[in-house]
């Protein structure tokens, strides 16, 4: 019996430890779920409320806009199969979005490269600033779509014209924010560079760029938002493929439900584009704010 | 006295027409000497340090260091800035390494430079925290990294601009002891701006007292003849310490009161 007791005593912690850890894990999971619920619940309730009110308001047969239930019955194929391709222009929303995203990626990359380069020029050189800044300030107020006829005339093709509109839309905030960042390198950092005699390219790469990075990413974030706004409008006019064209096409064939589904997709994609640039900025500029 | 650093007839006027900030500042500093410059706020002591650093150009007069005129900033006059001025996107080690690579990039191999960076971090006892970013360490630690960065340049003269001004009393005492130890060990010539009388007496060989601005200049220079290494506890009752302290206090609060407080 004493042996049995000893064994029991010896084995007790062995049994207890896993249960303790299991309990700890369970509490952690519980806390996580609670936190997620606390954060998400208001959103879920709000969405349900909006859908409910919408259904009530637009549910009657005389309503000019479709109610959520009707949207589902009209357009669930669009929601469930984003990548179908029936040939011609009859494609899933995913493929249209992909075409738009490709244009944005191309135009935005060009505007990021050119915008950062021009911003640095304007930020470092008084002469460039006096010569270019007034021009930028005027051009940046031109609405994106106003560039479209001009770029169609110049490129004579839809694809490069759309990319040019993205480029010219996104470039201004990138230029202006980069220039501000470059001009606002703190005097402390300049003094450090002067004492260690860091000049020219080294000064630019090791002091100016990291110091201006948060400003540059602010510009990029505004730029990507504007490009997404511009591409949808531009695609409505140039046709072919793309989410903007899809919306215009749906309007022409009176598929209001399709338009609403597409709008939600446009919003969600725009949100993720913004978060993507924000995340990239956070990774690149880690520590810079402190 | 053989002068290593010579400040002669230095004066500076920022705006033409307005009164000069500094006039006729003359100071000769010997190699290995520890000089404290003390004065009320606005007396131009930081400006004087910036002139020696080469960050600001004097309107009149000039500065000679080891026989050469100072006109631009350089690593032979490393500055420890009041607000540490570390680059926040670099780790502590990278901050020091940037200076070392820049100053010794041609004369030492990569491995030698890396070892030298760590040696200087160790000198200020910051090696264990070397991979942290400035945002992750305390004010005192940041200042130690600033000192390590400056020392790593092997400057002819180390310029300290109120290096402990923003620190709490305990951290300040700790850092003062470290700077004293480093000065003792390396024999670096040091020029330090301070507004703390005890700090000036404890650390320096001579205390330069500045008159109030505008038209500020050196009012008086007090020698601190205390044996080194110095111990703050033992010195508290030392007659030489008290004499030097009284002299500076008398200058600052009786003869050259802060104009802002005198009214």
């Amino acid at each position: 019996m004493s042996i049995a007791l000893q064994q029991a005593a010896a084995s007790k912690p062995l049994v207890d430890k896993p249960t303790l850890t299991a309990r700890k894990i369970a509490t952690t999971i519980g806390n996580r779920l609670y936190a997620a619920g606390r954060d998400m619940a208001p959103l879920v309730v709000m969405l349900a409320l909006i859908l409910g009110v919408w259904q009530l308001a637009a549910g009657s047969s005389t309503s000019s806009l479709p109610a959520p239930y009707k949207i589902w019955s009209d357009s669930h194929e669009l929601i469930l199969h984003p990548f179908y391709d029936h040939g011609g222009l009859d494609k899933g929303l995913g493929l249209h979005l992909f075409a738009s995203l490709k244009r944005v990626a191309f135009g935005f990359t060009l505007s990021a490269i050119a915008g950062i380069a021009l911003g640095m020029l304007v930020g470092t050189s008084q002469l460039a600033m006096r010569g270019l800044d007034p021009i930028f300030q005027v051009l940046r107020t031109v609405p994106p779509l106003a560039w479209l006829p001009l770029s169609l005339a110049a490129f004579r093709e839809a694809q490069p014209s759309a990319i040019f509109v993205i480029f010219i839309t996104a470039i201004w905030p990138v230029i202006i924010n980069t220039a501000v960042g470059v001009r606002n390198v703190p005097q402390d950092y300049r003094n450090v560079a002067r004492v260690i005699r860091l000049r020219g390219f080294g000064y630019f790469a090791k002091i100016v760029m990291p110091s201006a990075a948060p400003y540059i990413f602010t510009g990029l974030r505004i730029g990507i938002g504007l490009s997404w706004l511009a591409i949808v409008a531009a695609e409505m006019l140039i046709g072919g493929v793309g989410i903007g064209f899809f919306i215009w096409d749906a309007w022409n064939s009176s598929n209001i439900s399709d338009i609403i589904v597409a709008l939600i997709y446009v919003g969600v994609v725009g949100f993720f584009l913004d978060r993507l640039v924000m995340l990239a900025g956070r990774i690149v500029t880690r520590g810079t704010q402190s | 006295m053989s002068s290593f650093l010579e400040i002669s007839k230095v004066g500076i006027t920022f705006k033409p027409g307005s009164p000069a900030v500094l006039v006729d500042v003359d100071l000769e500093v010997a190699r290995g000497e520890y000089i404290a410059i003390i004065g009320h706020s606005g007396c131009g002591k930081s400006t004087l340090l910036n002139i020696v650093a080469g960050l600001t150009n004097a309107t009149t007069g000039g500065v000679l260091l080891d026989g050469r005129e100072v006109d631009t900033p350089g690593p032979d006059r490393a500055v420890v800035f009041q607000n540490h001025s570390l680059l926040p996107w670099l780790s502590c080690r990278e901050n020091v390494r940037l200076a070392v690579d820049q100053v010794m990039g041609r004369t030492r191999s990569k491995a030698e430079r890396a070892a030298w960076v760590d040696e200087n971090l160790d000198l200020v006892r910051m090696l264990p925290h070397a991979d942290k970013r400035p945002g992750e360490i305390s004010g005192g630690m940041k200042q130690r990294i600033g000192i390590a960065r400056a020392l790593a340049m092997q400057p002819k003269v180390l310029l300290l601009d109120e290096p402990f001004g923003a620190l709490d009393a305990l951290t300040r005492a700790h850092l003062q002891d470290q700077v004293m130890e480093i000065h003792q060990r390396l024999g670096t010539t040091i020029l330090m701006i301070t507004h703390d009388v005890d700090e000036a007496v404890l650390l320096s060989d001579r205390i330069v007292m500045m008159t109030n601005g505008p038209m500020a200049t050196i009012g008086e220079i007090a020698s601190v003849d205390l044996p080194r290494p110095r111990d703050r506890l033992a010195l508290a009752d030392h007659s030489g310490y008290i004499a030097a302290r009284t002299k500076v206090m008398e200058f600052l609060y009786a003869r050259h009161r802060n104009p802002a407080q005198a009214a």
Side-chain angles (χ1 to χ4, degrees), chain A residues 20 56 60 64-66 120 131 137 153 160 169 181 188 235 258 262 277 280:
Chain A
L20 255 176
L56 284 177
S60 73
S64 56
L65 290 176
M120 294 198 154
Q137 296 297 343
T169 307
D188 293 349
E235 282 171 349
D258 287 4
V277 176

Side-chain angles (χ1 to χ4, degrees), chain B residues 48-113:
Chain B
L48 179 60
L49 192 90
N50 282 341
I51 291 171
V52 176
L55 292 166
T56 308
N57 286 322
T59 317
T60 59
V63 177
L64 283 174
L65 175 63
D66 207 6
R68 262 201 232 158
E69 195 185 350
V70 166
D71 49 1
T72 53
D76 56 340
R77 285 152 286 125
V79 188
V80 176
F81 298 95
Q82 185 174 4
N83 49 0
H84 65 76
S85 294
L86 299 178
L87 304 175
W89 55 86
L90 299 178
S91 72
C92 295
R93 179 181 278 121
E94 287 165 342
N95 262 288
V96 180
R97 186 186 294 153
L98 177 67
V100 169
D101 285 351
Q102 187 62 26
V103 176
M104 300 168 175
R106 294 210 187 107
T107 51
R108 294 196 193 188
S109 75
K110 204 174 170 188
E112 281 173 324
R113 295 199 304 264

Side-chain angles (χ1 to χ4, degrees), chain A residues 188-192 194-199 206-208 210-211 285-290, chain B residues 54-55 72-75 77 79 81 83 85-89 98-99 102 133 135 149 153:
Chain A
D188 293 349
Y189 305 163
R190 289 174 201 258
N191 282 345
V192 170
R194 289 176 69 193
V195 168
I196 64 173
R197 296 214 169 118
L198 191 60
R199 300 193 198 100
K206 287 175 178 161
I207 308 284
V208 176
S211 170
T285 64
R286 67 211 186 291
T288 313
Q289 273 85 5
S290 57
Chain B
L55 292 166
T72 53
R77 285 152 286 125
V79 188
F81 298 95
N83 49 0
S85 294
L86 299 178
L87 304 175
W89 55 86
L98 177 67
Q102 187 62 26
R133 284 171 195 279
R149 175 173 66 184
M153 299 178 208

Side-chain angles (χ1 to χ4, degrees), chain B residues 213-245:
Chain B
M215 311 273 281
T217 190
I218 293 174
E220 206 175 308
I221 299 177
S223 291
V224 185
D225 296 316
L226 294 170
R228 289 184 188 270
R230 295 175 185 169
D231 174 61
R232 66 177 67 243
L233 282 176
L235 283 180
D237 306 317
H238 193 286
S239 60
Y241 182 86
I242 294 167
R245 198 174 180 279

Side-chain angles (χ1 to χ4, degrees), chain A residues 200-240:
Chain A
F201 179 75
Y203 171 65
F204 221 76
K206 287 175 178 161
I207 308 284
V208 176
M209 278 297 270
S211 170
Y215 292 87
I216 295 174
F217 272 95
T218 304
L220 290 177
R221 229 179 126 187
I222 299 170
I224 195 112
L226 289 179
S227 358
W228 193 236
L229 294 182
I231 191 64
V232 174
E235 282 171 349
M236 286 186 175
L237 295 176
I238 61 169

